[in-house]
Amino acid sequence: MARDLEVRHPGWVVIWRCWARRFWAFPCWITVGPEAVEARHAQDLLALMTETELLHRPGTLSARLAGPPPPEAMEADAAVT
């Protein structure tokens, strides 16, 4: 399940901590103080990942403070222009 979430959501490292019985996801594009999100169920983790993506999307103050967007976002912008 963790691998499936990671594949469907590039820019995240997702792990299942079997001893804690919880999922953890680490955003790789937030370069300053990235905070992992954690949840017991995959659908709850996905909701937290989506919330983090919305909060730290390119163009927001937190994204400007955090650093450049992930490479795939830069490639998508280049393809549009």
Side-chain angles (χ1 to χ4, degrees), residues 12-49:
W12 288 90
V13 173
V14 180
I15 62 171
W16 166 252
R17 294 177 50 205
C18 58
W19 62 92
R21 301 187 54 83
R22 299 182 71 78
F23 289 98
W24 280 64
F26 300 87
C28 297
W29 74 96
I30 303 173
T31 58
V32 177
E35 293 187 25
V37 293
E38 68 170 298
R40 184 167 181 88
H41 303 286
Q43 65 270 21
D44 297 333
L45 183 73
L46 182 55
L48 292 170
M49 290 167 64

